[in-house]
Amino acid sequence: MRKNSNILPLIFIIIPLLWILFISSSSASVIYDGKSLIINGQRRILISGSIHYPRSTPQMWPDLIKKAKDGGLDVIQTYVFWNGHEPSQGNYYFEERYDLVKFIKLIHQAGLYVHIRIGPFICAEWNFGGFPVWLKYVQGIEFRTDNGPFKAAMEKFTTKIVDMMKSENLFASQGGPIILSQIENEYGPVEWDIGAPGKAYTKWFSEMAVGLNTGVPWVMCKQETAPDPIIDTCNGFYCENFKPNKNYKPKMFTENWTGWYTAFGGAVPYRPVEDLAFSVARFIQNNGSFMNYYMFHGGTNFGRTGSGLFVATSYDYDAPIDEYGLIREPKWSHLRNMHKAIKQAEPALLSAYPTVSWPGKNLEVHVFQSKRYCAAFLANYDSENSATVTFWNKQYNLPAWSVSILPDCKTEVFNTAKVYGLRRHAKMIPVSSGSFPWQSYIEQTVSADDSDTFTNAGLLEQVDITRDSSDYLWYTSNVYIKSDEGFLKNGQYPFLNIMSAGHVLHVFVNGRLSGTVYGSLTDTRLSFSQGIKLVAGVNKISLLSVSVGLANVGTHFEWYKTGVLGPVTLNGLNEGTRDLTKQKWSYKVGLKGESLSIHTLAGSSSVEWIQGSLVAVKQPLTWYKTIFNEPTGNDPLALDMSTMGKGEIWVNGKSIGRHWPGYIAKGNCGNCNYAGLYNENKCLSDCGQPSQKWYHVPRSWLKPTGNLLVVFEEMGGDPSRISLVKRQL
Ligand code: GAL
C-alpha cells in the first residue's frame, strides 16, 4: 500500500507527459488528399525552393536560408549527392559542403520544412547524375533498371540516408523538418523507353522506398506510373494542366525552372520574373498546392562536380538568390510579393475547389469560395494584348500574359506582370589594382617512351582508364617516317585525322601543339584533321584528351563514351593512308602537376617555378601560382578570368572549378518578350561573350593574408590580367 501511494503522484505526472509526447509526435504527421498536403492536421499551400548544399559553403547556408524564408518560402528542397557522400565504395563523407545533417538542421532552426530528394539518381547537371564513378565498375551492373547489383547499391545508399535522417530525428513524423522525400528522378521517360525491366524496377524501388517507413509521403517526379501511396509530381516551366495519376493525390510542382543552367559555349539563359510568376499563379489557381522553384539559389559547381553537358562552373540559374548569395532583383521581391498574396488567399484556396468562368477570349476567372472565404484569380492568357475584366461589378486591368490575385475577391493585391521591385543589377567591382605577381611552370608533354605510362595495342575509353580521377588522359604513340615522306608534298603536309568521343583534345606533335579541338553542347564528339610537319625517323604523337564532366542524363548514360576512340589515321604518305588506331598506344592518367599536387601549399614547392619577366604567357599547358591577401569587407568575391582559355582554379588547395572563358557563347540574344510560352532558348544574354568569365571564390576559403591561388591553363592565356572582383548590389 505504502509503495503504491508513493508511485501514484508520479503516475499522475508521467502519464500526462507521455500523452503529450504521444500527441506531439503522432500529430507531427504529414498526410495528403486531392487538395493538399496536410501537416499536423492542417492543410497547406506550400511554396518551396531548391538550394543544393554542396553548391555553396556551410558559411553561406544560414544567410541563404534566411533570404529564402524572407522571400516567402515554407520549404527548402534539396537533392542528396551520392558521389559526394561516397567518393570511394564504402568510404563515406558528410563534412563541410556535404554536411547534409547540418544543412537540414539549419533549415529546421529557421522554421522551414525540407523536401529531401534522395534519388539517388539526381540528374541536376551534376557529375554522372550523382552516381559515384566506382558504381559503373561494379561487376554486372546496369544503371536504373531491373538489375541486381544496381538495386543492391541503390537500396544500400537510400537506406543509409533514411537511417541517418531517422537517427537525427529529422523526419516530420519524428518532430523534424522533412515533410517529403523523393525516390528516383524523372524515371518516367526511361521506363517508357526500356519497357518491362523499367516497370519491374519502378515496382521494386517504390516498394523499397515505402518500406523504409519514413512516416512522410514519397514523391516521384515526371513519372505518371507512380504507384500508391507515392505521389507523382510535375517538372517544367509550366504545370498548370498537370494532373496527378489519382484524384486523391495533391497537385505538386517539384521543379519550376526559374531560369536554366549555363553551359560552356552557350549563352546565359534567363527567365523574366513576369513569366515565372505567371506560371506559379496559374498553377495555384488550377488547384496546385505545392510549388517548388528549381533553383531558388543555384550556386556553384565547385571542383569537378559539373556534368558532361559542358555545364559551366556557375550554376546561377537566374535564380532569385544569385550564385554569390545576393538577392536578384526584381525577381526576389516580385516573387515575395506574390507569396504574400498567395498566403492571404490560402484559407480560401484550401476551403474550396475553384469554379472557373471564361469572361472572354483568353480570359479565365477562378473563384475559391466557401462560407467563410473567397479568393479570386483573374487571368489573361493573351501574349500580346492587355484586357479589362469585370468581376463582381468591378473592373480589373490585366496586362498581357498575367494573373491578378484577389485574396478577398475584391482587392487586387498582386498582378504577375506588374513589377514594382527595384531593377537593380549586381555589379562586379575590381578590388585589386595592378596584377598578381605570377609564377609559372610548364607541364611537359608526355611521350610514348616515358616511364610511368602503360601501353596497349589500340585505343581505350577514357573513363575506363582515369576512373574520373582527373579530367586528363594522355594518349601517346610513335610514328616512323621514312626520310622522304614527312614533308611538304604538293604544298601539303601529311594529314593527321583523329576521331574522339570528346570532350576536348590538344594534339602535340614532337612536343609542339598542333591544334586544339572541342565538342559542342549538343554533340560532345570532335574530330581533328590537320596537316602536320613530321621529321624523318621517329615522331612523337601526344594527344591530351580532356573530359568536362560525365553525362548526367539519358537512358544508360553510363555507357556514354569519352576520349580518343579512333579511328586515327595519317594520310598523304607514300604508302597512302596509315591507320594508327590499332598500333601501340601509351597511356598516362592526369597531369604531372596533379600528381605532385602543386595546387596545394605543400605540393607547390615540388617544382621549379619561373617568375618575373620570364613568366609564360599564351603558353598551353601552363601552371600559374600567386599569393594574395583577402580584400576587406564582406562582399562576395570572384576572379575575372576573361583573358584565360580553359583549365581549373584552386584557392588554398580547394578547387573553385573549371574555367573556360575561351569558349565564346553562341546563341541568339535577340529581344526577350516575356509574354508567350517560355523555353530555355527564349531569353539569352552574353552572346558573343565568354559563357562564364567570373568564378566565385568563397570568402570562407580565404585567410586574411597569404592565400595561394593556382591556375592550370590548357590553351594558353594571359594571367597578368586575372583580377579579383567583388560583387555588390
Ligand atoms: C530536370 C531534372 C533536374 C535538372 C533540370 C534542369 O529535368 O530533374 O535535375 O537537371 O532538369 O536543370
Side-chain angles (χ1 to χ4, degrees):
M1 248 342 253
R2 269 190 77 101
K3 263 189 182 169
N4 279 353
S5 64
N6 272 348
I7 290 171
L8 219 55
L10 262 183
I11 287 176
F12 279 116
I13 296 170
I14 287 169
I15 289 186
L17 252 180
L18 283 176
W19 178 243
I20 287 167
L21 267 177
F22 172 69
I23 292 276
S24 61
S25 63
S26 67
S27 68
S29 70
V30 186
I31 52 172
Y32 63 79
D33 64 11
K35 189 69 193 158
S36 72
L37 290 180
I38 303 167
I39 305 176
N40 294 337
Q42 222 190 332
R43 291 183 183 289
R44 295 296 308 272
I45 301 284
L46 293 167
I47 307 291
S48 170
S50 297
I51 301 178
H52 294 157
Y53 51 98
R55 285 179 156 142
S56 53
T57 61
Q59 291 76 11
M60 292 168 71
W61 294 344
D63 186 56
L64 295 175
I65 294 165
K66 180 174 187 310
K67 285 172 175 156
K69 185 178 183 185
D70 293 347
L73 298 198
D74 308 296
V75 185
I76 306 273
Q77 185 205 68
T78 184
Y79 282 125
V80 175
F81 297 79
W82 185 0
N83 51 14
H85 293 305
E86 197 178 350
S88 61
Q89 193 168 8
N91 294 314
Y92 294 99
Y93 182 76
F94 287 90
E95 313 285 317
E96 300 274 328
R97 287 187 294 122
Y98 291 93
D99 194 341
L100 172 61
V101 167
K102 178 172 181 176
F103 182 66
I104 294 181
K105 286 187 173 170
L106 285 170
I107 299 171
H108 195 197
Q109 279 161 26
L112 299 182
Y113 295 123
V114 173
H115 175 200
I116 187 172
R117 305 172 90 190
I118 300 177
F121 169 71
I122 61 169
C123 194
E125 292 70 70
W126 191 259
N127 199 39
F128 222 26
F131 288 144
V133 175
W134 56 258
L135 191 67
K136 177 177 171 176
Y137 298 96
V138 168
Q139 193 74 40
I141 205 156
E142 270 182 48
F143 288 2
R144 304 180 76 202
T145 185
D146 190 19
N147 169 277
F150 178 77
K151 290 191 296 186
M154 171 170 173
E155 178 165 11
K156 187 167 173 209
F157 183 72
T158 307
T159 308
K160 178 166 182 86
I161 295 299
V162 167
D163 286 350
M164 181 180 269
M165 299 299 110
K166 279 187 186 169
S167 69
E168 300 280 346
N169 294 322
L170 292 176
F171 285 106
S173 47
Q174 304 170 291
I178 303 174
I179 53 166
L180 285 170
S181 307
Q182 179 179 302
I183 192 74
E184 253 290 349
N185 190 77
E186 297 194 332
Y187 190 66
V190 183
E191 184 186 288
W192 199 85
D193 206 12
I194 67 175
K199 288 200 175 72
Y201 169 60
T202 294
K203 182 174 184 306
W204 169 80
F205 74 70
S206 306
E207 284 166 8
M208 185 268 285
V210 173
L212 292 172
N213 296 317
T214 59
V216 301
W218 286 93
V219 306
M220 272 155 62
C221 65
K222 207 162 158 184
Q223 188 177 358
E224 60 188 27
T225 57
D228 289 359
I230 301 180
I231 308 165
D232 58 320
T233 66
C234 184
N235 294 345
F237 290 109
Y238 309 97
C239 280
E240 64 277 0
N241 296 324
F242 169 79
K243 282 203 169 44
N245 60 15
K246 297 282 169 46
N247 60 9
Y248 46 83
K249 296 181 184 177
K251 175 165 164 171
M252 300 174 63
F253 197 164
T254 29
E255 290 182 26
N256 189 345
W257 301 317
T258 54
W260 197 247
Y261 63 88
T262 300
F264 289 123
V268 180
Y270 63 98
R271 185 178 186 191
V273 71
E274 292 90 339
D275 181 63
L276 179 57
F278 182 63
S279 157
V280 175
R282 283 172 85 177
F283 181 72
I284 301 291
Q285 75 178 13
N286 281 12
N287 206 41
S289 60
F290 180 101
M291 201 295 311
N292 176 73
Y293 296 102
Y294 185 102
M295 302 293 297
F296 204 74
H297 166 260
T300 309
N301 294 314
F302 294 116
R304 299 169 52 246
T305 58
S307 75
L309 295 166
F310 284 72
V311 169
T313 294
S314 168
Y315 198 65
D316 179 84
Y317 224 89
D318 196 32
I321 305 175
D322 73 18
E323 177 182 6
Y324 296 84
L326 302 182
I327 56 175
R328 171 168 278 121
E329 294 294 18
K331 213 168 210 179
W332 184 89
S333 295
H334 190 56
L335 296 178
R336 180 205 49 197
N337 295 345
M338 176 175 62
H339 303 149
K340 279 188 191 158
I342 293 172
K343 285 275 126 73
Q344 281 175 266
E346 186 175 1
L349 294 173
L350 292 170
S351 68
Y353 283 91
T355 48
V356 190
S357 58
W358 294 270
K361 191 169 171 237
N362 289 322
L363 298 175
E364 206 170 82
V365 171
H366 287 73
V367 184
F368 296 79
Q369 194 169 16
S370 59
K371 266 194 206 135
R372 285 179 62 193
Y373 303 107
C374 186
F377 284 58
L378 317 181
N380 176 12
Y381 297 153
D382 193 310
S383 59
E384 277 162 23
N385 305 303
S386 62
T388 304
V389 171
T390 307
F391 174 69
W392 287 14
N393 299 324
K394 225 172 127 183
Q395 290 203 328
Y396 297 87
N397 167 264
L398 301 178
W401 203 250
S402 81
V403 177
S404 283
I405 302 179
L406 286 53
D408 59 356
C409 281
K410 289 182 208 130
T411 334
E412 174 189 304
V413 303
F414 183 84
N415 174 280
T416 55
K418 297 178 187 168
V419 180
Y420 302 112
L422 294 174
R423 290 188 185 263
R424 293 191 288 181
H425 286 290
K427 288 181 283 298
M428 293 299 203
I429 301 164
V431 288
S432 54
S433 51
S435 62
F436 294 115
W438 290 102
Q439 303 184 17
S440 64
Y441 161 74
I442 297 181
E443 172 91 23
Q444 295 304 309
T445 51
V446 169
S447 30
D449 0 274
D450 280 5
S451 53
D452 50 348
T453 57
F454 74 90
T455 57
N456 181 67
L459 294 162
L460 298 171
E461 200 277 337
Q462 179 155 345
V463 180
D464 286 346
I465 310 302
T466 63
R467 300 281 165 115
D468 201 35
S469 62
S470 168
D471 279 358
Y472 303 99
L473 178 64
W474 285 102
Y475 293 75
T476 58
S477 199
N478 289 335
V479 171
Y480 186 77
I481 293 292
K482 281 188 231 137
S483 56
D484 63 336
E485 59 176 359
F487 316 112
L488 270 185
K489 208 173 282 168
N490 309 326
Q492 283 210 318
Y493 288 112
F495 251 66
L496 178 62
N497 308 295
I498 306 168
M499 297 297 290
S500 163
H503 305 139
V504 178
L505 185 67
H506 305 291
V507 179
F508 297 84
V509 176
N510 295 323
R512 295 188 51 173
L513 183 66
S514 288
T516 291
V517 277
Y518 38 89
S520 71
L521 341 175
T522 43
D523 190 350
T524 58
R525 287 174 303 176
L526 54 93
S527 62
F528 174 90
S529 195
Q530 203 173 293
I532 54 165
K533 198 174 166 184
L534 298 170
V535 296
V538 174
N539 291 269
K540 297 174 191 294
I541 309 286
S542 312
L543 310 178
L544 182 60
S545 178
V546 190
S547 76
V548 190
L550 306 183
N552 66 296
V553 65
T555 302
H556 285 306
F557 63 84
E558 78 270 30
W559 296 340
Y560 294 5
K561 293 188 183 329
T562 312
V564 184
L565 300 173
V568 178
T569 57
L570 199 55
N571 48 26
L573 303 177
N574 295 345
E575 71 206 61
T577 298
R578 193 186 296 177
D579 191 353
L580 311 182
T581 315
K582 298 219 165 69
Q583 71 175 37
K584 193 168 94 180
W585 287 87
S586 299
Y587 295 85
K588 181 170 166 30
V589 175
L591 306 167
K592 183 169 174 205
E594 285 181 302
S595 62
L596 295 172
S597 293
I598 66 173
H599 61 281
T600 65
L601 205 51
S604 77
S605 52
S606 56
V607 298
E608 290 267 338
W609 294 86
I610 288 169
Q611 33 188 317
S613 60
L614 295 176
V615 164
V617 175
K618 302 230 156 76
Q619 274 280 340
L621 306 197
T622 305
W623 293 84
Y624 294 100
K625 76 163 179 176
T626 192
I627 299 285
F628 70 101
N629 296 337
E630 183 186 3
T632 52
N634 294 318
D635 297 319
L637 302 171
L639 285 168
D640 183 338
M641 300 291 289
S642 318
T643 58
M644 301 305 281
K646 179 183 180 303
E648 192 171 343
I649 312 165
W650 294 263
V651 171
N652 292 330
K654 291 186 174 174
S655 172
I656 67 169
R658 300 183 178 105
H659 69 272
W660 198 352
Y663 210 158
I664 300 300
K666 291 186 205 72
N668 178 4
C669 290
N671 271 348
C672 166
N673 173 14
Y674 73 80
L677 289 182
Y678 180 85
N679 66 50
E680 65 275 22
N681 297 314
K682 187 166 176 182
C683 298
L684 299 172
S685 67
D686 298 294
C687 296
Q689 300 284 317
S691 301
Q692 186 182 352
K693 68 178 190 184
W694 291 301
Y695 296 79
H696 182 200
V697 179
R699 279 264 178 195
S700 60
W701 293 7
L702 299 180
K703 322 175 265 187
T705 57
N707 297 291
L708 176 68
L709 169 62
V710 175
V711 174
F712 176 64
E713 172 57 46
E714 289 166 30
M715 299 187 170
D718 179 2
S720 70
R721 287 169 49 214
I722 295 179
S723 65
L724 207 50
V725 296
K726 58 184 177 182
R727 189 165 175 90
Q728 275 181 353
L729 270 181

